[in-house]
Amino acid sequence: MKTEKNIPYKIYLDEQEMPKKWYNVRADMKNKPAPLLNPGTLQPMTAEELGAVFCDELVQQELDNDTAYIDIPQEILDFYKMYRPSPLVRAYCLEEKLQTPAKIYYKFEGNNTSGSHKLNSAIAQAYYAKKQGLKGVTTETGAGQWGTALSMACAYLGLDCNVYMVKVSYEQKPFRREVMRTYGATVTPSPSTTTEIGKKILAEHPGTTGSLGCAISEAVETAVGKEGYRYVLGSVLNQVLLHQSIIGMETKAALDKYGIEPDIIIGCAGGGSNLGGLISPFMGEKLRGEKDYQIIAVEPASCPSLTRGKFAYDFCDTGMVTPLAKMYTLGSDFIPSPNHAGGLRYHGMSPVVSQLYHDGLMEARSVEQTSVFEAAEQFARIEGILPAPESSHAIRVAIDEALKCKETGEEKTIVFGLTGTGYFDMMAYEKFNNGEMSDDIPTDADLEIGFKGLPDIPEK
Amino acid sequence: MKTEKNIPYKIYLDEQEMPKKWYNVRADMKNKPAPLLNPGTLQPMTAEELGAVFCDELVQQELDNDTAYIDIPQEILDFYKMYRPSPLVRAYCLEEKLQTPAKIYYKFEGNNTSGSHKLNSAIAQAYYAKKQGLKGVTTETGAGQWGTALSMACAYLGLDCNVYMVKVSYEQKPFRREVMRTYGATVTPSPSTTTEIGKKILAEHPGTTGSLGCAISEAVETAVGKEGYRYVLGSVLNQVLLHQSIIGMETKAALDKYGIEPDIIIGCAGGGSNLGGLISPFMGEKLRGEKDYQIIAVEPASCPSLTRGKFAYDFCDTGMVTPLAKMYTLGSDFIPSPNHAGGLRYHGMSPVVSQLYHDGLMEARSVEQTSVFEAAEQFARIEGILPAPESSHAIRVAIDEALKCKETGEEKTIVFGLTGTGYFDMMAYEKFNNGEMSDDIPTDADLEIGFKGLPDIPEK
């Protein structure tokens, strides 16, 4: 095995080297992300309006476009120490297998029981809820990573956790459900009879297996109607990207420790929480004109919001109960094919990531599912980690870039985010193993259906 | 959170601090483990006889009772670097929750895709097979952790891997099966029509769902009958304990680095591979009279080989095709209840562990499954790791010991082995969450059935 003498397989920061602040990339953006709008008035959502749904300190973080560094509370730092720092791994084995001169690193966020990076924001949101004296939080979950992460955070803090799980997932992914229950969460299949909107949907569509949009609506209704509860969300929001900046901060600290300068930074993008967190300090340098990096967002060809979507105001949910966000979107009516990278099946994209992409500060690529699983299988066999389908989108492009280096002879340094593990995605792997996987790329006509549903926002 | 200033939450060895040798505890044992016997002649198995089943270098390791330290080949060290060192975690959160003066550490072996410590020996066995120029290896798997680990090792080395998986597991644990297939292994439900013994059993019992004993027989038959193949086993054997000494060596190095002296060392025990590996360097000190430790093996009350078994020669498998090993055994006819700690449902015990226990160098405790899952749930919620049911046996006793310290005020240092994660055991957690778990402790009459089947070995 060819290795560099001074660079270990895995770079772990010491506890005292771990970042103590989150970085808020909005502070360095010339073009700030557009504000959330009240869908009734089309005016920017006020702190008071947001405070009915989110807890107070998170509202401040959501609206703060100016403070570059925000102290991570000690209690959250303590929790982070249980599973962080996550390793920055040098993919020596993959490099050798590909016979590439490229140097490949990945930041692995899967070494915690939630199986993904989602825990970084779950503990923060749960902490602020607890600090505000709330009794509990509500949320929705589809694939289940976010619900699992939130359950863990709430168990740790002694906070009640109500998860609305899309009924089809509740029934088809019983193991995810049981992990949440083991962490003490109440998991309700959605639509349910616990909410007005749930009852209404059940009356109209008695046999429905639910949707993420419906689950969001139920979670919000429950939070707003229940004394001492607020709603929390695992992606898209500015506050979530802020918390996830811990990924990028650690990555940068680890690279700096060994004097490594990345050329390319790659992350998968669904709602944008991992990508936005991973790239944030590097994007900060780029925005301040200190450094330049090639930054690539990777999305599924089956749900191509950046590469084929529109930059427009849209609802964050399919139920149209949330504020409007300006983002790259396929329209909240767009129904992605039920492919298995559940965490990337979102019609929109974080407003921060959307603005950065719109301003030409990063690229986006869409990749097809079959080629994603080919990369996943190759990676698993060589690097020994079974990646989540979401994460494997980034692996696909990292391998593609490394193979380009093989052709050109360039020794580029590639860093990608490995967001999580695939233990609960074996049904997808089974499809791939059996040669039954499809790519499900939407036609232009499919996309038009979603675009038609975009809300009509008058220009200022 | 009360923490000790100089002791981090997680102790990671640097790459250069990682052990480069395995430690062979047999070298320091005054009473060596009894040799394997040929069941036909009742004479000790020769290297030649063993060489028909195992590859040559492993046979040497199996028979070597004298060499204390054996160099780990560089290729295996390289592989270890992909997922090792595993962290030695200070359970600050658990200590606080229990309000105990005890200091609790656990060595966490679950941070690799196989989900357990099994990979430590899988890569070693696959490496020696590859080095001997073999085409592939065969094995059996029940719960699936060993099969997964071996599949990973074989994928890495480009070795063919045939896994006979007990049919009921093959059908009821499709996700484990798919992980193995993703790693390129051929997974055959056992009994199968690929072997004579499989055909015979299928003819006699057309509807059988298989057993581990049958799967072992099929794997051995395939290895012996196929040019360029050998059989490999994930526990019990001396060679496996040798490879697993990496767990204990790392643990000891990490403790030494911070000047920590353990009082109690706890490990779960099925075939003995994790326990034997974890305790080996500490037991070495104890055997050499340099130090003293309280060492506790924890086994399920449903399969109590150390606490209620006999120290006698017995077959290693239920099919009675293997050599005889002198060990604590419930008899190869003993059928443990189908509880869910699959990795601990073994009628026998490693001859090394058995001899050490017989000589009074360690204790053994049996714990009931319901209390094990209570400990597992508590641990998951506090320490954030979802433990495997097997590992949770050690958690149970670690918590019990910490609570004793609370009563006495003693500040004991407790180290236990957390062998793996429970992602593929959610059916067991579901039973627990639903209050449907049972303990299934065998009666004395149940045990007599197994003891009756012990082979009759004349005294020398």
Side-chain angles (χ1 to χ4, degrees), chain B residues 308-322:
Chain B
R308 296 176 69 195
K310 292 191 173 167
F311 189 46
Y313 265 109
D314 194 9
F315 288 95
C316 297
D317 66 326
T318 43
M320 302 193 182
V321 300
T322 63

Side-chain angles (χ1 to χ4, degrees), chain A residues 55-338:
Chain A
C55 66
D56 299 343
E57 197 132 351
L58 292 168
V59 168
Q60 293 309 317
Q61 292 181 357
E62 191 64 30
L63 297 174
D64 185 346
N65 285 344
D66 303 310
T67 313
Y69 291 95
I70 294 178
D71 284 331
I72 306 174
Q74 187 59 45
E75 291 83 348
I76 299 176
L77 287 175
D78 284 345
F79 188 87
Y80 279 170
K81 282 180 199 164
M82 293 206 315
Y83 71 101
R84 308 200 66 83
S86 69
L88 180 70
V89 185
R90 175 70 181 267
Y92 282 124
C93 300
L94 182 61
E95 290 171 21
E96 179 163 280
K97 187 75 175 185
L98 299 176
Q99 289 287 304
T100 174
K103 296 163 183 182
I104 308 173
Y105 294 84
Y106 55 91
K107 180 71 168 169
F108 180 42
E109 292 288 319
N111 270 354
N112 70 74
T113 285
S114 80
S116 82
H117 66 292
K118 294 284 182 186
L119 196 53
N120 301 330
S121 185
I123 185 62
Q125 296 191 50
Y127 166 76
Y128 290 118
K130 181 81 180 174
K131 199 181 155 200
Q132 194 172 319
L134 299 178
K135 289 181 204 153
V137 292
T138 71
T139 199
E140 76 290 330
T141 202
Q145 291 176 325
W146 167 246
T148 307
L150 190 67
S151 305
M152 288 178 66
C154 288
Y156 180 79
L157 293 169
L159 211 57
D160 190 31
C161 181
N162 290 353
V163 181
Y164 287 91
M165 188 170 189
V166 179
K167 190 182 268 177
V168 62
S169 297
Y170 182 92
E171 285 163 0
Q172 289 185 358
K173 292 198 163 187
F175 294 167
R176 270 277 181 214
R177 179 189 77 207
E178 291 306 322
V179 178
M180 290 184 259
R181 288 183 69 205
T182 300
Y183 280 95
T186 305
V187 187
T188 308
S190 169
S192 74
T193 54
T194 65
T195 65
E196 291 310 312
I197 187 118
K199 285 181 210 162
K200 184 162 170 273
I201 290 170
L202 282 172
E204 287 168 10
H205 310 279
T208 181
T209 55
S211 71
L212 202 57
C214 169
I216 294 179
S217 306
E218 290 202 84
V220 172
E221 183 185 321
T222 302
V224 172
K226 209 166 170 179
E227 181 68 28
Y229 280 75
R230 291 294 185 284
Y231 168 73
V232 295
L233 183 64
S235 191
V236 182
L237 297 173
N238 297 340
Q239 59 187 272
V240 178
L241 266 71
L242 175 70
H243 307 148
Q244 294 296 357
S245 70
I246 188 75
I247 305 172
M249 300 285 280
E250 276 186 14
T251 302
K252 184 141 178 37
L255 292 171
D256 287 350
K257 186 174 175 177
Y258 287 88
I260 303 159
E261 290 270 354
D263 298 295
I264 309 176
I265 300 161
I266 301 166
C268 63
S273 73
N274 158 69
L275 177 81
L278 172 66
I279 68 174
S280 60
F282 305 98
M283 185 58 83
E285 292 184 306
K286 195 165 172 168
L287 287 163
R288 296 189 302 270
E290 297 163 7
K291 292 266 177 71
D292 196 18
Y293 303 102
Q294 183 182 8
I295 296 174
I296 308 173
V298 190
E299 59 185 13
S302 60
C303 191
S305 46
L306 287 170
T307 51
R308 294 175 70 194
K310 290 189 175 169
F311 190 46
Y313 265 108
D314 194 9
F315 288 95
C316 297
D317 66 327
T318 42
M320 299 191 184
V321 298
T322 64
L324 298 165
K326 191 169 182 191
M327 56 186 178
Y328 277 86
T329 178
L330 298 164
S332 63
D333 286 346
F334 176 75
I335 299 175
S337 95

Side-chain angles (χ1 to χ4, degrees), chain A residues 332-347:
Chain A
S332 63
D333 286 346
F334 176 75
I335 299 175
S337 95
N339 78 48
H340 293 275
L344 305 181
R345 280 171 55 206
Y346 183 64
H347 68 277

Side-chain angles (χ1 to χ4, degrees), chain B residues 49-301:
Chain B
E49 287 171 326
L50 287 169
V53 179
F54 301 113
C55 67
D56 299 343
E57 199 133 349
L58 292 168
V59 169
Q60 293 309 315
Q61 293 181 356
E62 190 63 29
L63 297 174
D64 185 346
N65 284 344
D66 304 309
T67 314
Y69 292 94
I70 293 177
D71 284 331
I72 306 174
Q74 186 60 45
E75 291 83 347
I76 298 176
L77 287 175
D78 285 346
F79 188 86
Y80 279 170
K81 283 181 201 164
M82 294 205 313
Y83 71 101
R84 308 200 67 82
S86 70
L88 181 70
V89 185
R90 174 70 181 264
Y92 281 124
C93 301
L94 182 62
E95 290 171 22
E96 179 162 280
K97 187 77 177 181
L98 299 176
Q99 289 288 304
T100 174
K103 296 164 183 182
I104 309 173
Y105 294 85
Y106 54 92
K107 180 71 169 168
F108 180 42
E109 292 288 319
N111 270 353
N112 70 74
T113 285
S114 80
S116 83
H117 66 292
K118 294 284 183 186
L119 197 52
N120 302 329
S121 184
I123 184 62
Q125 296 191 50
Y127 166 77
Y128 290 119
K130 181 80 179 176
K131 199 181 157 202
Q132 193 172 319
L134 300 178
K135 288 181 203 153
V137 291
T138 71
T139 200
E140 75 291 331
T141 203
Q145 290 175 325
W146 168 246
T148 307
L150 189 67
S151 305
M152 288 178 66
C154 288
Y156 179 79
L157 293 169
L159 211 57
D160 190 30
C161 181
N162 291 354
V163 181
Y164 286 91
M165 187 171 190
V166 178
K167 191 182 267 175
V168 63
S169 298
Y170 182 92
E171 285 163 0
Q172 289 185 359
K173 291 199 165 187
F175 294 167
R176 269 279 180 211
R177 178 188 79 207
E178 291 307 322
V179 178
M180 290 184 258
R181 289 182 69 206
T182 300
Y183 280 96
T186 305
V187 187
T188 308
S190 168
S192 74
T193 54
T194 66
T195 64
E196 291 311 311
I197 187 118
K199 283 181 210 164
K200 185 163 168 274
I201 290 170
L202 283 171
E204 288 168 7
H205 310 278
T208 180
T209 54
S211 72
L212 204 55
C214 168
I216 295 179
S217 306
E218 289 202 85
V220 172
E221 181 186 323
T222 303
V224 173
K226 210 166 169 182
E227 180 69 29
Y229 281 74
R230 290 293 186 285
Y231 168 73
V232 296
L233 183 64
S235 192
V236 182
L237 297 173
N238 296 341
Q239 59 186 273
V240 177
L241 266 72
L242 174 70
H243 308 147
Q244 294 296 357
S245 70
I246 188 78
I247 305 171
M249 299 284 280
E250 277 186 14
T251 302
K252 183 141 179 35
L255 292 171
D256 287 350
K257 187 173 173 177
Y258 287 88
I260 304 158
E261 290 269 353
D263 298 296
I264 308 175
I265 301 161
I266 301 165
C268 63
S273 73
N274 157 70
L275 177 80
L278 172 67
I279 67 173
S280 61
F282 304 98
M283 185 59 81
E285 290 182 305
K286 194 164 172 168
L287 287 164
R288 296 189 302 269
E290 296 162 8
K291 293 264 178 73
D292 195 19
Y293 304 102
Q294 184 182 7
I295 296 175
I296 307 172
V298 190
E299 58 185 14

Side-chain angles (χ1 to χ4, degrees), chain B residues 424-440:
Chain B
F424 293 102
D425 300 289
M426 293 319 297
M427 276 169 71
Y429 274 97
E430 183 175 9
K431 268 200 173 174
F432 177 73
N433 291 337
N434 292 340
E436 295 161 358
M437 186 151 270
S438 60
D439 289 329
D440 306 322

Side-chain angles (χ1 to χ4, degrees), chain A residues 279-452:
Chain A
I279 68 174
S280 60
F282 305 98
M283 185 58 83
E285 292 184 306
K286 195 165 172 168
L287 287 163
R288 296 189 302 270
E290 297 163 7
K291 292 266 177 71
D292 196 18
Y293 303 102
Q294 183 182 8
I295 296 174
I296 308 173
V298 190
E299 59 185 13
S302 60
C303 191
S305 46
L306 287 170
T307 51
R308 294 175 70 194
K310 290 189 175 169
F311 190 46
Y313 265 108
D314 194 9
F315 288 95
C316 297
D317 66 327
T318 42
M320 299 191 184
V321 298
T322 64
L324 298 165
K326 191 169 182 191
M327 56 186 178
Y328 277 86
T329 178
L330 298 164
S332 63
D333 286 346
F334 176 75
I335 299 175
S337 95
N339 78 48
H340 293 275
L344 305 181
R345 280 171 55 206
Y346 183 64
H347 68 277
M349 178 58 64
S350 139
V352 169
V353 169
S354 294
Q355 188 66 48
L356 292 168
Y357 176 61
H358 189 68
D359 290 344
L361 290 153
M362 54 189 287
E363 304 167 29
R365 279 186 214 167
S366 72
V367 289
E368 292 163 19
Q369 185 163 243
T370 311
S371 75
V372 165
F373 272 83
E374 283 163 6
E377 184 193 81
Q378 187 177 19
F379 184 82
R381 293 185 182 183
I382 298 167
E383 288 286 320
I385 292 172
L386 186 78
E390 292 85 353
S391 324
S392 304
H393 287 69
I395 297 174
R396 173 73 274 161
V397 170
I399 290 177
D400 290 346
E401 289 297 316
L403 291 174
K404 275 187 208 165
C405 288
K406 186 178 177 177
E407 278 184 27
T408 63
E410 288 172 290
E411 286 188 28
K412 286 188 179 172
T413 296
I414 299 168
V415 175
F416 73 89
L418 189 70
T419 52
T421 50
Y423 300 118
F424 293 102
D425 300 289
M426 294 319 297
M427 277 170 71
Y429 274 96
E430 183 175 9
K431 268 200 174 175
F432 177 73
N433 292 336
N434 292 339
E436 294 162 359
M437 186 151 270
S438 60
D439 290 328
D440 306 322
I441 302 169
T443 64
D444 288 344
D446 293 334
L447 294 187
E448 276 311 312
I449 296 169
F451 294 146
K452 269 187 197 152

